[in-house]
Every structure is written in structure tokens, then in C-alpha cells.
């Protein structure tokens, strides 16, 4: 049995440690949704990202909910050893089947999105060849026009104040 002062110190510790961690999580979550896509291929990937993100949030909340439930439901009340159970076939089938279904759904959605993106970015339909050189703290982009003459290619380079 804990003393009230010890319990108060423990609660105070969790509040002091938990609130900054919660704040960090909220602030980190602000960058979880990427900006709105502009191209059709990017819109397909953005939709897939949102589906995966929502599924991940659901799994996270479910797992955390079960953890909190187990902590509250099975917390120690005395020093007696609880009844030990070993194996439950139905539970083992369920916790194997659910992740398998989730992975198969994500696989199918990813393949469909990849097919959409590949169809929209067919190189035989023409496109722009870009050479990119990276150097310290910057990039240089050269848009090639395909005539093997580097003098008339468009080149974009910036500086730290005005990136390309």
C-alpha cells in the first residue's frame, strides 16, 4: 500500500513528464499531413497516405486502449499470485488474422495506387529530363531539351536566401 505522499509525488512526476511529451506529440502531429497535391499522380499518393494514416491511428488507439484497460483491470491489489492461463486458440487466431487482413488491404491499395501513378507518368508520352546536382547546402537543376546542346538548356540555381 502506497502512502498518500508517495502517490502524490508519483502523480506529480507523471504530470510533469507527461504534459511536455503530450505537447511534443501534438506539435509533431502538426506536420503529419502533407500539403495539398497538385498533380493527379500526387493526389493518388496523397489519398493512399491518408488511408494508411487513418488505419495507423485506429490501430494505435486500439492497442493503447487495450493497454490502458489491462493496466486498470489487472492492477495488483494484494500479493497473491493471480490465476495463470496459458494459450487461447481463438485469441491467437484473431490477433494473427487482423494484422494479416490489414496488410493485405494496404498491399492491394498500394498496388492500385502504383498502377495509377505509373499510368499517369508514362515516359513514352514525353516529359522533361532534369539533371540535378547537389552540393553544399544547395541544388542546381538543369532542364534538358534533348538536343545534346548544353548551352540552350535552362539551368536554375539559387543561394541560401533564394533557393531554386
Amino acid at each position: 500500500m502506497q502512502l498518500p505522499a508517495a502517490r502524490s509525488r508519483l502523480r506529480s512526476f507523471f504530470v510533469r513528464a507527461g504534459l511536455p511529451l503530450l505537447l511534443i506529440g501534438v506539435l509533431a502531429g502538426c506536420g503529419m499531413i502533407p500539403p495539398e497535391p497538385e498533380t493527379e499522380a500526387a493526389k493518388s499518393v496523397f489519398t493512399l497516405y491518408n488511408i494508411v494514416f487513418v488505419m495507423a491511428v485506429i490501430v494505435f488507439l486500439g492497442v493503447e486502449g487495450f493497454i490502458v484497460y489491462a493496466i486498470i483491470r489487472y492492477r495488483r491489489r494484494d500479493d497473491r499470485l493471480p490465476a495463470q492461463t496459458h494459450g487461447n486458440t481463438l485469441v491467437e487466431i484473431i490477433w494473427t488474422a487482423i494484422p494479416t487482413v490489414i496488410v493485405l488491404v494496404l498491399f492491394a491499395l498500394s498496388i492500385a495506387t502504383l498502377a495509377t501513378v505509373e499510368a499517369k507518368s508514362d515516359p513514352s508520352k514525353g516529359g522533361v529530363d532534369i539533371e540535378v546536382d547537389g552540393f553544399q547546402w544547395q541544388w542546381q537543376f538543369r532542364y534538358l531539351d534533348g538536343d545534346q546542346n548544353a548551352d540552350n538548356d535552362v539551368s536554375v540555381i539559387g543561394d541560401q536566401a533564394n533557393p531554386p
Side-chain angles (χ1 to χ4, degrees):
M1 175 112 186
Q2 288 184 338
L3 299 173
R7 184 174 290 162
S8 175
R9 281 195 308 267
L10 184 64
R11 185 175 296 132
S12 174
F13 168 77
F14 281 117
V15 168
R16 283 194 320 266
L19 286 178
L21 289 174
L22 180 65
L23 180 64
I24 289 170
V26 167
L27 291 176
C30 292
M32 296 298 286
I33 304 297
E36 285 295 319
E38 297 296 327
T39 65
E40 290 300 317
K43 288 178 184 176
S44 299
V45 173
F46 183 72
T47 302
L48 176 65
Y49 175 84
N50 286 334
I51 291 170
V52 171
F53 183 72
V54 167
M55 290 177 79
V57 167
I58 291 169
V59 168
F60 175 78
L61 292 175
V63 169
E64 293 302 314
F66 282 125
I67 289 173
V68 169
Y69 169 76
I71 288 171
I72 293 170
R73 170 70 173 86
Y74 299 106
R75 67 183 180 268
R76 180 182 287 197
R77 291 183 178 85
D78 55 26
D79 288 335
R80 287 182 298 161
L81 189 63
Q84 303 295 306
T85 57
H86 297 282
N88 187 329
T89 305
L90 178 63
V91 171
E92 290 179 14
I93 289 172
I94 289 172
W95 75 41
T96 302
I98 290 174
T100 302
V101 169
I102 290 171
V103 168
L104 289 175
V105 167
L106 290 177
F107 177 75
L109 290 172
S110 298
I111 292 298
T113 301
L114 180 62
T116 304
V117 170
E118 288 293 323
K120 291 178 181 169
S121 61
D122 185 11
S124 65
K125 295 180 180 174
V128 178
D129 290 328
I130 303 172
E131 284 184 1
V132 180
D133 292 328
F135 50 94
Q136 187 172 12
W137 317 120
Q138 200 49 261
W139 300 90
Q140 177 180 9
F141 299 94
R142 279 189 301 285
Y143 296 88
L144 309 177
D145 57 8
D147 63 0
Q148 306 303 326
N149 182 1
D151 295 333
N152 61 358
D153 293 338
V154 176
S155 180
V156 178
I157 189 170
D159 54 33
Q160 289 180 342
N162 300 312

